Amino acid sequence: LSIQPKTKRENIIQEILDTEATYLRELHTLNTIYKTHLENLSIRKPSSISSLQIHSLFSSLPQIIPIHDQLYSHLLSSPSLLGSIFLKHIPYFRVYKEYENNYQNALKTLQNLIDKKDPEFIATIAACDNLATGLKLEGLLILPIQRIPRYKLFLEDLGRSMKEGEE
């Protein structure tokens, strides 16, 4: 049984799909594990972390996730239409600007919370770290900063593969 090797274009599309699935899983981890547990802590003990600090940490994450849920769904259902799918979704990427503009503030907020050494905050983060598979809070927070430039690289690779004569 002989398996046809994939074209460079097919490999790039598969890599986009694979990395998008991973990115989405990590965004959901950030939201459902870290953000939710910290919000619960804020309700139980506002002196551990305030709602303002939570917003500082997670910024526009709640707006980013549905964009990628939809993008991934469209990419899975029609991978051959990748270019037009991205063109359709590009306007929604504006929500990244708020996240990007707030990122350094989020890191400062996290460092201040860690430096405060509040036992409930430390215990909550440790519990979240145990629930999360893979990256921990600081590593997850940078992912949205890195994602848009990765799309640019993927799409440039895809464009080059098409110029090289692949369809």
Side-chain angles (χ1 to χ4, degrees):
L1 186 63
S2 142
I3 297 174
Q4 285 285 68
K6 286 186 172 182
T7 65
K8 186 173 182 180
R9 180 179 189 274
E10 289 170 329
N11 285 332
I12 294 166
I13 291 171
Q14 189 60 55
E15 188 174 358
I16 290 170
L17 289 171
D18 292 346
T19 61
E20 190 67 19
T22 300
Y23 178 60
L24 255 178
R25 187 175 52 253
E26 291 167 336
L27 286 181
H28 282 286
T29 295
L30 187 56
N31 194 51
T32 60
I33 294 177
Y34 288 95
K35 185 172 183 275
T36 300
H37 282 80
L38 290 172
E39 286 171 336
N40 291 338
L41 175 60
S42 177
I43 292 165
R44 275 192 340 270
K45 190 177 175 211
S47 63
S48 293
I49 185 169
S50 70
S51 57
L52 188 61
Q53 289 169 314
I54 290 170
H55 180 74
S56 172
L57 287 174
F58 302 103
S59 182
S60 59
L61 180 69
Q63 292 80 38
I64 290 172
I65 292 172
I67 292 167
H68 289 279
D69 282 333
Q70 187 179 52
L71 174 64
Y72 184 62
S73 172
H74 289 156
L75 289 172
L76 274 181
S77 64
S78 305
S80 63
L81 300 176
L82 186 136
S84 60
I85 291 169
F86 269 99
L87 285 174
K88 180 181 173 189
H89 284 83
I90 284 173
Y92 300 108
F93 292 163
R94 282 177 287 178
V95 299
Y96 275 86
K97 199 67 181 159
E98 178 187 339
Y99 194 93
E100 186 180 308
N101 288 341
N102 183 66
Y103 179 68
Q104 290 303 319
N105 188 42
L107 292 182
K108 286 178 191 164
T109 299
L110 179 59
Q111 192 58 56
N112 289 339
L113 287 164
I114 291 168
D115 291 347
K116 195 165 87 171
K117 295 183 183 350
D118 178 86
E120 298 242 8
F121 176 80
I122 301 298
T124 300
I125 293 297
C128 292
D129 287 348
N130 288 332
L131 291 170
T133 55
L135 297 172
K136 304 305 178 212
L137 182 56
E138 193 169 343
L140 292 166
L141 287 172
I142 197 170
L143 293 176
I145 301 298
Q146 297 170 333
R147 191 64 188 163
I148 299 298
R150 285 200 179 135
Y151 288 143
K152 184 178 183 287
L153 294 174
F154 284 137
L155 295 172
E156 286 171 351
D157 283 349
L158 194 59
R160 274 193 297 278
S161 77
M162 293 171 76
K163 284 180 185 172
E164 292 168 3
E166 293 186 13
E167 293 183 13

